[in-house]
Amino acid sequence: MKQLAINGGDKAVTALPERFHFGAEELAAVRKLFETAITTGCAPGYNGPEEEAFCREFADYLGGGWVDGVNSGTNSLFVALRALDLPPFSEVVVGAITDPGGMMPIVINSLIPVIADTRPSAYNIGPEEVEAVITEQTRAIIVPHIGGEPADIEGIMRVASRYNLPVIEDCAQSHGAAINGRKVGTFGTIGAFSLMFGKHFCTGGQGGALFCRDEELYWRIRRAADRGKPFGLEKSNGNVTASLNCNLDEFGAAIGRAQLRKLPEIVTRRRRFMELLEQAGLGKLNCVEIPRQLPGAESSCWWWRLRFRAENSRVDKLEYCAALAAEGLQLTPQYHALPGDYDWFRDRASRHPWNNPLYHGDPSRDFPCPNAHQAVIDHFNLVVYESWAEPQAEAIAEAFAKVDAAYSR
């Protein structure tokens, strides 16, 4: 048995390439904007031809509809909620496992986040978990698709239909993921996307987008994204609603167009790399198993969620992951994405919007999420990049094999 790197042995993985998802295409797009600005004397702004083209192309990628670009994924959710114009102090269901930016826009819109547990042994919520927390005050549902894995959006949409609730799909981590051939973000009332630098495709350092299939809703999104400007209205006395400036700019849109053309290949290569890892041995480990996807689901592999079999290991998950990291792997041993556990949420009862007398629910309502907490305990996340191929798969598989052999019962 080879000595583990954590004990002084040689690393199984000596180097893993970066993504290299930026190239000549993005440079040319930005350079063209600079050259035009220098020639004309007019700086690139927003709501211009690059954003118009980006929104049209992204909508086409999603199967047709309308897209508006914004300046972050968090603001895509803020704008989505603003556009739905929900009654203040009504409740919005959200998944227990999500980025803090997936919950805070609810509060900023004077709405009450109600946390649904995840499905057993999963990061994503399901129909039963959503329905369990719906009350008379529920007015919308936010469904995060975590880590590139599609949630059971078809089942959740059936629940939403029974209660006549709009659904926002939080696709910040799942660009290109699909269920039964249909891309996530296209099932709900609105699809909200993050386009920051680390996502499947991006518009630069930060960015976001919203998708819908209803034209009137699209115009409400446009108004909510740009300080209530009267987009789509023939007559108005100035701005028509209170909102923030959440605009995407022309530079971001130009980068986004170049990135969008790469997205199908990025997703395909990530899926292929996961297949290579499984074939190289990750499907035959004693202490780690590959979780099953929902029937018909195709992950876009933002990272790979893996289940740790504590019953088969002589060490705990954190020790096991530390040994993997010492072998040169990039991973997150414990996914700290439970905003309901954070102090700002636990200490909420005396704060806006929970303390407003117009909220008729219990501001201290408990949201037990045993499935979500157990999923975080049982799983870890392995980084995968589309730039990796067979050599990296073999090296990563060797690292897993070394650690698994050393620590198996």
Side-chain angles (χ1 to χ4, degrees):
M1 183 186 300
K2 293 183 179 179
Q3 186 178 17
L4 296 181
I6 201 168
N7 296 329
D10 293 332
K11 289 184 176 184
V13 181
T14 56
L16 288 170
E18 294 295 338
R19 286 183 65 190
F20 292 99
H21 60 306
F22 267 43
E25 302 90 344
E26 290 79 9
L27 178 61
V30 172
R31 178 176 286 156
K32 181 179 178 181
L33 279 179
F34 268 110
E35 290 173 347
T36 300
I38 292 168
T39 301
T40 63
C42 299
Y46 61 91
N47 288 339
E50 288 295 329
E51 183 180 358
E52 181 180 345
F54 168 74
C55 292
R56 183 178 62 251
E57 290 161 9
F58 194 20
D60 289 344
Y61 170 81
L62 292 171
W66 287 268
V67 164
D68 187 35
V70 292
N71 53 13
S72 74
T74 302
N75 274 342
S76 72
L77 288 174
F78 169 82
V79 169
L81 290 165
R82 207 75 173 165
L84 291 177
D85 195 22
L86 305 175
F89 314 109
S90 56
E91 295 177 349
V92 177
V93 176
V94 66
I97 295 182
T98 187
D99 185 271
M103 184 184 291
M104 291 182 177
I106 302 171
V107 178
I108 298 301
N109 275 284
S110 296
L111 302 166
I112 308 296
V114 169
I115 300 175
D117 199 3
T118 65
R119 295 170 49 248
S121 195
Y123 287 170
N124 285 328
I125 57 176
E128 293 180 6
E129 292 75 22
V130 168
E131 190 161 22
V133 297
I134 290 176
T135 72
E136 293 181 354
Q137 299 181 72
T138 306
R139 294 295 178 270
I141 304 167
I142 296 177
V143 181
H145 301 279
I146 300 298
E149 294 185 41
D152 184 2
I153 188 62
E154 294 176 324
I156 293 171
M157 290 303 298
R158 288 191 289 271
V159 171
S161 179
R162 284 201 297 273
Y163 292 90
N164 195 30
L165 296 172
V167 172
I168 301 170
E169 291 183 76
D170 181 353
C171 305
Q173 301 180 359
S174 56
H175 316 66
I179 291 186
N180 296 321
R182 181 174 172 181
K183 292 183 178 65
V184 300
T186 68
F187 291 86
T189 313
I190 300 174
F193 294 81
S194 169
L195 302 176
M196 56 84 77
F197 71 97
K199 300 302 171 66
H200 296 79
F201 85 110
C202 70
T203 55
Q206 284 284 2
L210 298 97
F211 170 83
C212 70
R213 296 193 188 277
D214 180 273
E215 185 175 6
E216 174 52 35
L217 178 57
Y218 163 72
W219 289 117
R220 297 206 306 269
I221 288 170
R222 290 288 306 276
R223 295 167 206 151
D226 195 357
R227 296 156 289 178
K229 289 181 180 178
F231 294 110
L233 299 176
E234 293 184 4
K235 295 181 180 180
S236 71
N237 181 22
N239 293 24
V240 295
T241 189
S243 196
L244 301 176
N245 183 345
C246 302
N247 284 292
L248 180 67
D249 63 43
E250 287 289 273
F251 281 113
I255 293 170
R257 293 182 69 193
Q259 285 272 291
L260 179 59
R261 287 190 282 271
K262 298 178 178 181
L263 178 58
E265 180 65 15
I266 286 172
V267 172
T268 297
R269 289 177 66 90
R270 283 176 175 243
R271 288 173 179 158
R272 176 57 181 156
F273 187 73
M274 289 172 67
E275 292 172 359
L276 288 173
L277 283 175
E278 186 170 359
Q279 293 165 7
L282 262 69
K284 300 177 181 178
L285 297 170
N286 188 42
C287 300
V288 176
E289 71 175 358
I290 300 169
R292 292 183 178 274
Q293 296 283 302
L294 291 170
E298 296 178 274
S299 174
S300 58
C301 318
W302 195 45
W303 29 252
W304 202 6
R305 176 176 64 95
L306 296 170
R307 181 179 177 274
F308 178 67
R309 291 171 166 169
E311 66 277 11
N312 292 350
S313 175
R314 295 188 294 103
V315 299
D316 65 24
K317 184 187 71 172
L318 296 183
E319 291 177 274
Y320 192 96
C321 286
L324 290 174
E327 295 293 339
L329 301 193
Q330 299 177 23
L331 49 82
T332 302
Q334 194 126 314
Y335 191 40
H336 296 289
L338 292 150
D341 288 352
Y342 297 174
D343 288 345
W344 75 270
F345 188 79
R346 288 183 175 275
D347 301 335
R348 66 192 181 275
S350 62
R351 299 176 182 174
H352 176 83
W354 293 273
N355 65 352
N356 194 289
L358 294 177
Y359 175 48
H360 302 299
D362 178 6
S364 299
R365 178 182 175 187
D366 191 29
F367 300 105
C369 295
N371 294 341
H373 285 95
Q374 194 61 49
V376 168
I377 291 170
D378 290 345
H379 295 82
F380 63 95
N381 306 330
L382 179 69
V383 172
V384 293
Y385 285 166
E386 65 274 9
S387 58
W388 299 348
E390 287 189 26
Q392 288 76 36
E394 291 171 1
I396 291 172
E398 180 185 347
F400 270 95
K402 282 178 65 178
V403 173
D404 208 66
Y407 289 154
S408 287
R409 289 187 187 276

